[in-house]
Amino acid sequence: MKVSRLAAVGAIAASAVVVLSSPAFAHVSVQPEGTAAKGGYAVVDFRVPNERDKASTTKLEVSFPTDHPLASAMPEPIAGWTSKVTKTKLDKPLELHGQKISEAVSKVTWTATGKGVEAGYFQKFPISIGALPEDADELVFKAIQTYSNDEVVRWIEVQEDGQEEPDNPAPVLTLSEASEGGHHGASATEKASDSDDTENAAAETAAPADSSDTTARVLGVVGIAVGVVGVAYGVLAGRRRTTDA
């Protein structure tokens, strides 16, 4: 009886690990390289994992916020991809840092010229944006992910306060406070250095799924192995008892 119970527990543990290792966090997201300070410029990465086993991600469209328009968006060149920045004229010109702007970035589109993001991999799409608003704590970017089989996933759902995370959440960039000295953006030298760093990282943008995803998958495999061993042990023990009888 004890052996049978151990086998059952092993099988249940394996199932639980498989459930926990599901890609709950495998969605399009955005993170700054360093900080994204209010009123300044920042390089941010849109992280796009491929969630399909038999299709590649071949296109990413990111819509920029309209409530806090951004005047500048400069994508970093990525091997195997083309990028296009779309701007739209504003109904009413805005004044940012003493300058009037009549148009703002409305969308940036990346299109694969090759295989795109294949199964088991993710891609980072770096882009320099600004000037970031001074009167907002975060920016919401709605993204559309297209696969090679023409499937489209819309990451456009906005997280509501006090509610569970939606199934297809929109990428959200959290802004940090500007420095006390009022230095909002990087100097020309710093920007050049940042550009060099991001270019060096371009070769690493297409990489296997990140450590959290990899760890979850390893745990899933381990859990399955434990369950199988437990079941097999229970069956063998049962056969031995039958033979001894």
Side-chain angles (χ1 to χ4, degrees), residues 27 41 78 123 224 233:
H27 50 67
Y41 287 77
I78 303 175
Q123 179 81 39
I224 293 173
Y233 186 66

Side-chain angles (χ1 to χ4, degrees), residues 56-118:
S56 299
T57 295
T58 56
K59 188 176 182 180
L60 174 68
E61 299 172 80
V62 177
S63 295
F64 275 49
T66 56
D67 53 345
H68 296 287
L70 300 179
S72 174
M74 300 176 62
E76 178 181 324
I78 303 175
W81 293 81
T82 62
S83 60
K84 178 183 178 182
V85 177
T86 302
K87 291 190 174 184
T88 303
K89 287 188 176 182
L90 300 173
D91 295 334
K92 182 179 180 180
L94 298 177
E95 184 172 339
L96 296 176
H97 304 295
Q99 295 183 349
K100 289 186 177 181
I101 61 171
S102 59
E103 61 180 12
V105 180
S106 57
K107 183 171 65 174
V108 177
T109 304
W110 287 271
T111 305
T113 57
K115 295 182 179 179
V117 187
E118 298 183 84

Side-chain angles (χ1 to χ4, degrees), residues 196-220:
D196 291 339
D197 292 341
T198 52
E199 286 178 3
N200 292 334
E204 303 176 1
T205 55
D210 62 9
S211 59
S212 61
D213 291 341
T214 302
T215 301
R217 292 179 181 177
V218 170
L219 289 175

